[in-house]
Amino acid sequence: MKKLINDLNNKSLNIANYLSQYLSTHNSFKLRTFYGESFALNLLYRHKILDEKNKNILINQYLKKDKSDPEFHFEFNNYAFSDLFKRSEDAQYRELYLPLKFKGTKCTNWTLLRSNVRLIENVDVILAREEFRSKINNYQLSSGLILDDVGVKSFQYHCFSMAMLLEIYEISMDAEALNSFISGVKFIRNFILKNGDALYIGRGQEQSFGLGVLIYILSKFYSLTKDQDVLFDIKLVLEFISKFQYSNGSFPLVFTGKENPIPQNVDMNSVEFSGWYPYNNFFDYLPFLGFFLHKAFECLNQEEVLVLKSENMQKSTQHNFKDNSFIKVNKDKYSAVLSLPGGYWTNDLPMPLILYKGNFITPMLGGEQFQKSLYSLEALSMPTTRKGNRSWRKLGRGLFIGNNLIWVSLFGVMLRRYKFYDNNIIIKNYTFSWIKSFQNFSFLSTCKLTSDAQLISDSYIVKFNSKIHSQQNGYSAMGDLKVIKTSMNIEINLELI
């Protein structure tokens, strides 16, 4: 555990050193930020490397921001500055965020952040309690997942919401907040895969914002429960993010290996920025990641140092899971996750996301859908009409019954059966439709379509028992996809190599 604690601190320090050197050289972040300055100030102070030059740079850059802009992120800046003031007792920081003002975004993670800041500052305490309890009661499902809004099953924002609820509990000792936190962490632990990945469903897939927070809430959960399996979860996630760290100490915004070390000229139509949203900023998310890694370090550093037993390794990731929205299947050779379509596109996994030999061999789906971007409904592995290319997803509803997806739309009814064997996965589609349609199935672009209508890659062979009509390009947070259009009633056999 001592090594784990040191690794957390070192990863956070790496980020802090990178930010310090960058600021010393460039005298600002140069790129757009919403709250990067406040979190960078906090992070550099935590690691005792905040010199006067960088302190003045960050404060001056923050003061130049237009606070009258309706998009100004008061909640995040308030949170970072409030924490910094309480650590430093430097009145200069207090003047930067008081009196409290808020942007007022209504989604769950913003609301819980706002409630947390109010409680920290002992301002509008009654309103804060009403707001966080309302979110728990109206948006947290029986599974433990808390929706960020109606139809938004984001694992990333679920993790951040759990962090805010834990801190709300620590201030208020409210049992409802604690129970919500425990339920929420138990939920997300079900989805930590053997490679340490967990944030592959919902808005913000694979982003650094959620990965640091995930480690933090796991650390807090361990502090409460002393369950050693949680330490292995933390180790897995930390090993996952370590694979993406750049030599300069920084990390990408999206953990898929597509980005340049310092993304410039953000273009939502460029594959380099797969998984980005228009509100994402590199120098917001990087210090935010470092901040929560350091909070996790502080949490575990207070605990008794334990010797971890290797035979328990990955124990908590081995079981299967099923609820109304998700199915997770674990086999010796692979893990597979299904997610019921509906709501935001990034919720969808009607084709299983498969982890095999430490890598995904099928894609997570979806992306920015409200502004111009690379993504489309056709890449969501659902049927579309032949004329007009209208997706069955858009005008339908579905449910899981056993390992079956039943989907009812204005265009017809689909039954998709999934059979998970040790060495292969079989997917059978049965449909009744009064409008000519075809099935779409998305695969990673690295696979090749052979002349005998098989998809092949280094890890698998996909065999179709019916006609393939065409293939086209698609996109998700993982980058380029290959979208295969097939007949409606079809059997797919994915054989692992």
Side-chain angles (χ1 to χ4, degrees):
M1 181 173 171
K2 192 173 182 65
K3 182 181 184 302
L4 176 64
I5 293 170
N6 290 336
D7 285 348
L8 283 170
N9 187 51
N10 289 336
K11 289 288 183 289
S12 179
L13 179 59
N14 291 157
I15 295 171
N17 283 329
Y18 168 78
L19 294 171
S20 178
Q21 294 166 12
Y22 186 93
L23 288 165
S24 296
T25 303
H26 297 86
N27 295 314
S28 76
F29 285 135
K30 300 298 181 183
L31 303 175
R32 184 188 69 175
T33 57
F34 294 142
Y35 48 82
E37 289 79 10
S38 57
F39 276 92
L41 276 164
N42 192 312
L43 180 61
L44 269 58
Y45 183 86
R46 282 169 170 264
H47 286 287
K48 299 180 174 57
I49 60 171
L50 181 62
D51 59 31
E52 283 300 311
K53 178 183 177 181
N54 282 340
K55 178 180 177 181
N56 290 331
I57 288 171
L58 290 166
I59 290 175
N60 288 333
Q61 289 297 310
Y62 179 78
L63 291 172
K64 289 178 182 178
K65 293 183 181 296
D66 181 4
K67 311 303 190 296
S68 65
D69 186 338
E71 294 303 312
F72 185 77
H73 285 43
F74 281 107
E75 281 84 337
F76 285 87
N77 287 298
N78 292 342
Y79 177 69
F81 279 131
S82 177
D83 180 88
L84 178 56
F85 170 70
K86 285 175 170 51
R87 297 178 73 91
S88 68
E89 298 184 350
D90 185 337
Q92 184 177 12
Y93 298 129
R94 191 167 180 81
E95 294 171 359
L96 294 173
Y97 73 98
L98 292 179
L100 291 177
K101 296 180 181 179
F102 298 107
K103 180 175 180 288
T105 302
K106 300 298 184 183
C107 64
T108 298
N109 81 90
W110 279 73
T111 300
L112 295 178
L113 172 59
R114 197 159 49 246
S115 296
N116 190 18
V117 170
R118 284 183 168 130
L119 291 170
I120 291 170
E121 294 296 328
N122 197 29
V123 173
D124 294 330
V125 170
I126 294 175
L127 175 59
R129 290 178 182 271
E130 290 175 348
E131 286 188 332
F132 80 72
R133 286 173 177 165
S134 175
K135 286 297 182 182
I136 292 171
N137 294 331
N138 294 311
Y139 286 87
Q140 190 164 30
L141 308 180
S142 59
S143 64
L145 173 65
I146 196 164
L147 302 178
D148 203 45
D149 208 338
V150 177
V152 185
K153 298 184 290 187
S154 169
F155 284 9
Q156 167 165 278
Y157 294 118
H158 167 85
C159 290
F160 183 62
S161 292
M162 290 306 108
M164 295 301 99
L165 282 167
L166 184 279
E167 294 183 1
I168 285 169
Y169 162 71
E170 290 178 329
I171 298 166
S172 66
M173 302 307 292
D174 187 286
E176 195 170 359
L178 177 61
N179 291 335
S180 175
F181 169 77
I182 291 173
S183 176
V185 177
K186 286 181 177 178
F187 170 84
I188 198 62
R189 289 187 67 206
N190 291 307
F191 295 93
I192 299 173
L193 300 176
K194 296 174 185 178
N195 70 341
D197 200 350
L199 304 184
Y200 41 81
I201 292 175
R203 195 168 181 85
Q205 293 159 319
E206 307 293 81
Q207 292 187 352
S208 62
F209 179 102
L211 287 162
V213 175
L214 172 59
I215 291 174
Y216 171 62
I217 63 174
L218 291 170
S219 301
K220 285 292 189 179
F221 188 84
Y222 171 75
S223 183
L224 288 168
T225 65
K226 301 301 187 289
D227 179 353
Q228 284 202 49
D229 286 343
V230 181
L231 296 176
F232 289 115
D233 288 342
I234 296 170
K235 184 176 184 293
L236 286 175
V237 179
L238 190 59
E239 288 174 347
F240 172 75
I241 72 170
S242 297
K243 291 185 294 186
F244 294 89
Q245 187 173 19
Y246 297 123
S247 59
N248 62 19
S250 70
F251 289 84
L253 192 146
V254 179
F255 282 60
T256 55
K258 300 292 182 183
E259 292 177 24
N260 292 319
I262 303 180
Q264 302 282 346
N265 303 317
V266 177
D267 179 3
M268 298 300 295
N269 288 297
S270 169
V271 176
E272 179 192 342
F273 297 98
S274 298
W276 281 60
Y277 294 81
Y279 57 81
N280 290 156
N281 298 318
F282 177 73
F283 283 116
D284 285 339
Y285 280 30
L286 185 60
F288 187 89
L289 170 63
F291 171 83
F292 276 100
L293 289 176
H294 192 261
K295 284 173 75 75
F297 157 74
E298 287 186 324
C299 175
L300 293 181
N301 200 40
Q302 296 173 2
E303 301 296 329
E304 181 182 355
V305 176
L306 300 175
V307 177
L308 305 184
K309 297 179 180 179
S310 60
E311 62 264 27
N312 289 332
M313 188 63 174
Q314 298 182 352
K315 179 179 176 181
S316 63
T317 68
Q318 295 296 326
H319 59 272
N320 297 331
F321 176 84
K322 187 179 188 304
D323 68 5
N324 293 334
S325 297
F326 307 103
I327 298 173
K328 179 190 171 193
V329 176
N330 274 303
K331 298 289 185 179
D332 289 341
K333 290 187 175 181
Y334 67 89
S335 298
V337 181
L338 294 164
S339 178
L340 187 69
Y344 275 33
W345 293 354
T346 49
N347 295 340
D348 292 20
L349 284 176
M351 276 285 287
L353 178 69
I354 302 168
L355 181 75
Y356 177 54
K357 294 182 178 178
N359 296 300
F360 288 121
I361 62 172
T362 54
M364 60 195 73
L365 302 175
E368 173 59 79
Q369 67 192 78
F370 298 112
Q371 299 189 37
K372 187 177 180 181
S373 66
L374 294 167
Y375 316 102
S376 68
L377 283 165
E378 284 71 35
L380 298 182
S381 291
M382 292 288 284
T384 55
T385 62
R386 296 196 184 197
K387 291 186 177 180
N389 230 21
R390 302 181 69 186
S391 174
W392 284 37
R393 180 197 189 276
K394 190 172 183 179
L395 298 170
R397 293 289 185 274
L399 73 160
F400 286 131
I401 298 179
N403 282 351
N404 306 302
L405 169 63
I406 297 176
W407 191 261
V408 180
S409 83
L410 292 180
F411 306 124
V413 179
M414 177 185 74
L415 170 63
R416 185 171 288 178
R417 294 186 180 275
Y418 309 91
K419 294 185 179 181
F420 298 96
Y421 300 104
D422 290 340
N423 297 301
N424 67 308
I425 298 169
I426 294 177
I427 299 167
K428 294 182 179 181
N429 256 73
Y430 306 93
T431 54
F432 172 77
S433 176
W434 42 90
I435 295 177
K436 288 185 177 180
S437 303
F438 47 68
Q439 294 282 354
N440 293 333
F441 296 104
S442 287
F443 296 89
L444 295 177
S445 61
T446 49
C447 64
K448 296 180 180 179
L449 185 62
T450 65
S451 57
D452 57 349
Q454 294 185 9
L455 281 175
I456 61 171
S457 79
D458 294 337
S459 301
Y460 63 85
I461 300 172
V462 181
K463 298 177 180 178
F464 302 87
N465 75 340
S466 188
K467 182 180 179 181
I468 293 178
H469 295 276
S470 64
Q471 61 173 313
Q472 64 185 50
N473 294 329
Y475 301 91
S476 75
M478 299 180 79
D480 302 82
L481 306 180
K482 193 183 297 291
V483 182
I484 305 296
K485 297 182 180 294
T486 74
S487 302
M488 290 293 283
N489 296 307
I490 191 168
E491 177 178 305
I492 298 175
N493 186 359
L494 189 153
E495 298 178 354
L496 301 174
I497 299 175

